[in-house]
Amino acid sequence: MPFFIRKQNSEPKDKKRKKLLKTQNGKKKQKTSSELTNGHSTKKIKKQKELIDENEEILSDTDEENEQAMNGNVRLDNLLLNEEEDDENDFHEQRLKRAKEYIEQIAKQEHEKELDRDTVSDRLRDDVLEQAGKLHRQVASNYSQPILLHSCHGHQQSVTCVCISNDNKYAFTGAKDCSIIKWCLSTGKKLHLIRRIGKIDKKNERLPVIGHYDHILAINISTDGQFLVSGDKSNLIQVWNAQTCQHIKTLRGHQGPITGLAFRRNSHQLFSSSQDRSVKLWNLDEMTYVETLYGHQEPIQAIDALMRERCVTAGGRDGSLRLWKIVEESHLMFTGHKGAIDCVALINDEHMVSGADDGSIALWSVSKRRPLFNLPHAHKVTSVDPALIPESLPEDFWITSLASLRYTDLLASGSFNGTINLWKSTPEFNHLIHLFTLSQIGFVNDLKFSPDGNYLVVGIGQEHRLGRWWTIKSAKNAVLIYKLDKNNT
């Protein structure tokens, strides 16, 4: 049977209850006192916060970043460094991506032509040299005798100017009959005709002029084939859509006939020369005039431009060539011909060729003010029957036109006796080697190589493009398209 044994020292139940009540009452008093003190302190903190909020100023971004830095958070310097590193990485990645796309594009182009893989590196090297203006490929020795592919008739008067599209498909010609014709190079067919318009009163400049009513003396096309420009004897420059041959804009400003037009390569920056002795710069993206350059003492006869923001002009009877540096706002003068300089063509951005009315052709470097080479009487020998040439023509066979296959050693020159000579320039530009002679009857007023070097387009007329001093009645006003074939070897 279970049983319990009590301790002798055990307290009675009433005393124990009294102790428990005392301890519980003491704890309640402590809690209430602590709650009172805590409530009083929280009220004080709230009041302080309200005062701070009323007087608080808005911190700037830099103050907040400094405060974070003081609190041990991310440092500002580290943030900037990380952002710069991210920007640099993105920039380098974009450049690398563009370079890869460029190399792939070149590789595809060369693969289509079934060329070796080494040509990709050659193309890259040529592009670098072309950008620097120092590319000079030796190709003239590879050509055989040019063959007359098409003799195109469409102009009623002398053909004065020629240009070829960069895709090597089309040629555009202007003439004294105030018309422009678009030709197909491969077939020789006339694709479009921009007709002459009725004469307009020059006094009212607000009247729109959609076309030409006077002799067209200059024509050119932009590298991307978007704009075709033509200049005439009435001091106007007309801008056309090269694809549709629709009129876009008339540029006014010159006080004399427009003798030359040249686009800066891979841009819509246009240079124009005039018999008012000035060169004007135009921006065709905005169809606006930019500035005028002065320096020549006589009417300017020709102009040319390439990759750099500069152009070269032939000053005619002032006997000088001038290289205009647009960015530097300066120009260089070159002298060396004995006669009037009537034509000029850039070979690359460092070298050029010029022709004069004394029959001489000169090679130049932009770093020297005198010619590197001067060939007198370049068109003295001719196979044309002398009876077909008027006796009133000068004995010195006037160089009336020049062309260069850009960045190569192949050149072409034309004279008023109907002969077209093809030349090879040496790598040092100190000599010209005669390659071929093409005989025609009439004034060779202009000629151009196609960019791929497969065609030579020639504008022939009964009269000189700038005047009517002589007339060769036996000549035909025509556009000649020559096929330039390369040797198999």
Side-chain angles (χ1 to χ4, degrees):
M1 183 175 189
F3 61 95
F4 295 95
I5 300 173
R6 283 186 181 177
K7 291 184 180 180
Q8 293 178 358
N9 298 328
S10 61
E11 296 179 354
K13 291 181 179 180
D14 295 334
K15 290 182 179 180
K16 286 183 179 179
R17 286 177 183 174
K18 289 179 180 179
K19 286 182 180 179
L20 287 170
L21 290 171
K22 286 180 181 180
T23 53
Q24 287 176 0
N25 291 330
K27 287 179 181 179
K28 286 180 180 180
K29 288 179 181 180
Q30 289 176 0
K31 283 182 180 180
T32 53
S33 61
S34 61
E35 286 174 357
L36 288 171
T37 54
N38 289 335
H40 182 68
S41 60
T42 51
K43 287 180 181 179
K44 283 185 178 180
I45 291 167
K46 285 181 180 179
K47 287 181 180 179
Q48 289 175 358
K49 282 185 177 179
E50 290 173 358
L51 291 171
I52 290 169
D53 292 335
E54 289 177 358
N55 300 322
E56 185 179 10
E57 294 181 0
I58 298 173
L59 295 176
S60 63
D61 294 338
T62 54
D63 293 335
E64 289 179 356
E65 289 172 0
N66 291 333
E67 187 177 352
Q68 289 179 356
M70 293 296 292
N71 291 333
N73 293 333
V74 180
R75 289 181 59 84
L76 179 62
D77 295 340
N78 293 336
L79 282 170
L80 293 173
L81 287 172
N82 291 334
E83 289 178 0
E84 289 178 358
E85 288 176 359
D86 292 340
D87 293 340
E88 288 181 0
N89 292 334
D90 293 340
F91 177 71
H92 290 305
E93 286 177 1
Q94 290 177 0
R95 289 187 65 182
L96 183 62
K97 184 178 179 181
R98 290 176 183 173
K100 287 180 179 179
E101 291 176 354
Y102 181 58
I103 292 172
E104 289 176 359
Q105 183 180 0
I106 293 175
K108 287 180 180 178
Q109 292 176 0
E110 300 301 342
H111 181 68
E112 290 174 358
K113 295 179 181 179
E114 297 181 356
L115 298 176
D116 298 331
R117 291 184 62 185
D118 294 339
T119 56
V120 176
S121 60
D122 293 340
R123 279 282 303 275
L124 288 172
R125 183 195 62 211
D126 290 349
D127 287 347
V128 171
L129 291 173
E130 183 177 340
Q131 292 289 337
K134 298 180 179 179
L135 179 63
H136 189 63
R137 292 182 283 116
Q138 303 295 315
V139 300
S141 300
N142 300 331
Y143 284 94
S144 58
Q145 177 74 28
I147 301 171
L148 181 59
L149 190 63
H150 304 291
S151 181
C152 308
H153 301 276
H155 291 289
Q156 303 302 315
Q157 296 183 31
S158 297
V159 181
T160 57
C161 47
V162 173
C163 70
I164 300 175
S165 61
N166 201 51
D167 59 4
N168 309 293
K169 292 181 179 180
Y170 310 109
F172 297 85
T173 56
K176 287 187 176 183
D177 60 4
C178 312
S179 67
I180 298 173
I181 298 180
K182 181 179 180 180
W183 308 89
C184 176
L185 284 179
S186 59
T187 64
K189 291 183 178 180
K190 180 167 60 175
L191 301 177
H192 201 283
L193 170 64
I194 301 176
R195 298 181 182 276
R196 174 179 184 162
I197 64 171
K199 193 171 183 179
I200 296 175
D201 186 9
K202 291 184 179 180
K203 294 181 181 179
N204 192 351
E205 293 186 354
R206 294 184 179 180
L207 287 175
V209 182
I210 306 174
H212 295 282
Y213 57 85
D214 211 338
H215 298 172
I216 299 173
L217 304 179
I219 195 168
N220 212 326
I221 187 172
S222 59
T223 311
D224 60 359
Q226 182 176 352
F227 296 116
L228 175 73
V229 291
S230 54
D232 62 20
K233 200 174 179 180
S234 63
N235 315 342
L236 299 178
I237 300 172
Q238 303 291 354
V239 184
W240 312 85
N241 183 317
Q243 301 298 323
T244 63
C245 294
Q246 297 298 311
H247 185 264
I248 298 175
K249 181 76 173 179
T250 299
L251 303 178
R252 305 172 187 264
H254 279 293
Q255 303 301 313
I258 311 300
T259 56
L261 295 167
F263 276 101
R264 182 186 172 197
R265 194 175 177 87
N266 298 328
S267 77
H268 294 153
Q269 194 174 33
L270 175 67
F271 300 97
S272 62
S273 63
S274 171
Q275 289 187 2
D276 63 6
R277 299 179 292 180
S278 72
V279 175
K280 289 188 183 295
L281 178 60
W282 312 83
N283 181 358
L284 293 196
D285 286 323
E286 300 177 0
M287 293 296 167
T288 55
Y289 157 80
V290 179
E291 64 176 322
T292 302
L293 310 173
Y294 295 98
H296 280 290
Q297 305 302 312
E298 294 289 340
I300 302 173
Q301 304 300 315
I303 191 170
D304 200 10
L306 268 182
M307 188 73 69
R308 296 180 183 175
E309 197 168 355
R310 54 174 60 176
C311 64
V312 61
T313 53
R317 287 178 293 177
D318 72 3
S320 70
L321 296 171
R322 295 181 190 248
L323 181 70
W324 305 88
K325 299 180 179 181
I326 307 303
V327 177
E328 295 85 347
E329 296 184 352
S330 64
H331 73 274
L332 301 175
M333 186 172 70
F334 306 86
T335 57
H337 281 288
K338 293 180 180 179
I341 306 175
D342 282 346
C343 45
V344 64
L346 283 165
I347 300 172
N348 55 31
D349 283 300
E350 298 291 329
H351 299 89
M352 55 191 172
V353 59
S354 63
D357 63 359
D358 61 357
S360 63
I361 297 176
L363 293 173
W364 306 78
S365 169
V366 297
S367 59
K368 294 186 178 181
R369 296 176 183 265
R370 304 292 291 180
L372 301 176
F373 176 72
N374 194 333
L375 178 65
H377 311 296
H379 281 256
K380 186 69 175 177
V381 179
T382 177
S383 59
V384 178
D385 186 358
L388 299 176
I389 302 175
E391 296 181 356
S392 60
L393 288 173
E395 294 183 0
D396 293 327
F397 290 94
W398 195 343
I399 306 299
T400 55
S401 56
L402 280 173
S404 70
L405 181 56
R406 306 295 196 185
Y407 304 107
T408 71
D409 59 344
L410 183 61
L411 308 173
S413 62
S415 181
F416 59 47
N417 64 347
T419 58
I420 304 159
N421 285 341
L422 271 68
W423 309 88
K424 173 186 176 181
S425 64
T426 57
E428 297 81 15
F429 298 95
N430 57 5
H431 193 63
L432 283 176
I433 302 171
H434 180 263
L435 296 176
F436 311 106
T437 296
L438 310 174
S439 297
Q440 295 294 331
I441 302 173
F443 287 82
V444 183
N445 285 322
D446 199 7
L447 43 80
K448 289 290 188 299
F449 287 104
S450 62
D452 61 2
N454 290 332
Y455 298 98
L456 174 65
V457 181
V458 183
I460 300 289
Q462 293 181 340
E463 302 168 345
H464 190 274
R465 72 184 188 100
L466 296 178
R468 291 178 170 173
W469 307 291
W470 308 282
T471 301
I472 304 176
K473 294 182 179 180
S474 58
K476 293 182 178 180
N477 302 313
V479 177
L480 308 179
I481 302 176
Y482 285 92
K483 186 70 171 68
L484 304 179
D485 291 324
K486 294 183 179 180
N487 298 320
N488 295 327
T489 56

